[in-house]
Amino acid sequence: MPEVKKAPASGGAGPAPGGSPARGGGWTRFVTARPRLTLLVALVLTALAVLAGGGVADRMGSGGWEDPAAESTYATEALEREFPGSQPNLLLLVDAGKAGVDDPAAAAEARRLTERLAAEPGVEGVGSYWTTGSPALRSEDGTRAVVAARISGEETAAGKVLDRIAPEYRGTHGPVEVTLGGGLAVRHEMQTIIQEDLLRAELIALPLTLVLLVMVFGSAVAALLPLGVGIVAILGTNAVLRGITELTDVSVFAQNLTTALGLGLAIDYALFVVRRYREELAAGADPTTAVRTTLRTAGRTVLFSALTVAVSLAAMLVFPQYFLRSFAYAGIAVVLLAAAAALTLLPAALVLLGHRVDALDLRRLFRRRRAAAGKAPESAGWSRAAGLVMRRAPVFAVLTTAGLVLLGLPFLGVRFGTADDRQLPTTATSRIVQEELRADFPGEPGGGLTVLAEGPATAAEHAAYRERIAGLDGIVRVDGPVVSGTGTHAYYSVVTEGTAVGEQAQRAVGVLRAQEAPFTASVTGQAAVLVDSKDAIGERLPWAAGIIVLVTLLLVFLLTGSVLIPLQAVVLNALSLTAMFGAVVWVFQDGHLSGLLGFTATGDIETTLPVLMFCVAFGLSMDYGVFLLSRIKEEYDTTGDHEGAVRFGLARTGGLITAAAVILAVVMVAIGTSRVTNTKMLGLGVALAVVMDAMVVRSLLVPAVMKLTGRLTWWAPGPLRRFHARFGISESGPVPGPGPGSASGSAGGDREAIPEPVGARG
């Protein structure tokens, strides 16, 4: 648990007093005294998680972009209840070849398929060109026509029905060839592809991660520890998500975040913990004491970092779309489980391993050669780099900020849309069907707007309303009304100019909703869902951003006791995301590099993706920011030397943060190899944000800005200093030994590699 500071409030202006060795809390003593029992309990819990989380992907949905409280959602549910045939989610594209769909043999077979589909359990509202004669269900060249139906029920149940019936209808039936499309088929195929891609990403990421960890740690034994922590976090999160699916809808996309954050954050936390443990061993501590000191120092930072990341992800809970909420469920679970594993399993393993944590050191030969050549340790290189940046602080601050802002400029031209079949690879069957419907069928079957009319109305009133909306700008055709048997419900099918979710269709939604009607009118359809989704996000976005900013300010203040550092953290974290947002628009909206990356640019960005990417990337940026600030604050409390503390903090964490960022980027790029565009965008975009944050913001912008603000960096007004003295979080705590200059204190064992600032010990 975080330690409540005992020192008097000083605003961080001077060194903290030395103290006697801290014994650690009860949990620390338990983990270090009973490491085998700790590992055994963890192994049993992990095995139970494997059993509990089995088959979780099959219970997840592939939708969730709509607002459950929106007008479009209400209208869709009412239409499904009153007029199942008005909302088809399954389309059978029947190809009769050169004979044409009106050929007697082809027509007879198509009618048999229509009747057979109508008799299937769970299928309703079946209609076709051959039973209705609707020209919208016939291709312009007359070679193909559509059988439309709706599979009722929620997504998981509907998917099971589709799995059952699809093999019976797909393929050759006498003179016709049948392929399956429609919204349900698109989502189901997307879900299948995501599961396959996720498995492939794990097979790519795990070996590459292990190689990189060996390069970072040197020791093959130490390199396996973060992977173990990550696997435990992933398996545990799958079990949590399996439980959540019993209560609410969860998006299958959330599994991608589970894998990425499970590995990435586990590696971050393990790197930080193992690095500190090695420092304590090098300073002469025995393994048990080293673990206790590590938990008291680095352990607090890991816990604090996990809290900041979890808060960023929790902000997505304010949105009504279950697509976004699912990432909050998965993210919070995997972050907390990764931290829990890093603070229980890892310390227990370190106690048992002792000095053998460095066994199988594959870099020993290279280190000897480096030492023989007189080369400086890595930390000294980072210290010199920080010194260079601070000597030219105005130049680095201005150029870095300008560069990041320039990279983010394309985002000013962002256009928001909705996910459709073009998210799928060009070889996906359901996408091929949808493309043929768009290209060769009038009005794109299943893709227009629908106006639901509720309440009694005369035939004349219905006809007058139909004529009025048919004359509106952007409306191509209005069909209907189709009136229910009770006469209390009716609907109109509206075809707009442009594509089903284009700008003309979105404008038509507003125009239709503004019309007076003799009954209660509600508008739905793909464009209406998009309009409502954008409204819901726009309404709640300030709340989400406010939660993230306010909690970040509070947490960073509790860590540092400074008023300025929390403000810097928020602004610099936001700057670190500019390159990601600019690249998202330049690449995925405008289509640059689409051939190389293998996706189809749609000219817009799915509405929820920027929100998701912001929350994830901001949280990860805070993760790295906390690691750096905690070491800077620890050194400043010890020495009172501002510039020396910045150099020391960057020296101790620069290589660590860079290595963690590279490894996390590898995991995200593996996720980005997905054949589904949104997953590709998420993986590659967050990878770019992580790299920019670690290599540009933390390495250049943070030391430059902290140099410019000087000792004012640590200022806080009197009331806030007293608040921090009472409730603030101490990273270093009391250090073992005679005082802050002790070699075995929180400073670690290789301080001699960093030039001592003049007057640092005053």
Side-chain angles (χ1 to χ4, degrees), residues 88 102 131 147 224 226 240 296 302 316 349 427 455 466 483 581 609 678 695 703 749 758:
D102 294 318
T131 59
V147 178
L224 289 172
V240 172
R296 196 179 67 248
V302 166
M316 287 184 284
T427 55
R466 178 183 181 279
V483 183
F581 284 124
L609 256 293
N678 274 356
M695 297 186 176
V758 177

Side-chain angles (χ1 to χ4, degrees), residues 635-659:
E635 180 69 2
Y636 184 74
D637 283 348
T638 303
T639 67
D641 177 22
H642 173 67
E643 290 189 26
V646 174
R647 294 172 63 192
F648 177 83
L650 192 61
R652 283 299 176 88
T653 63
L656 185 74
I657 290 173
T658 301

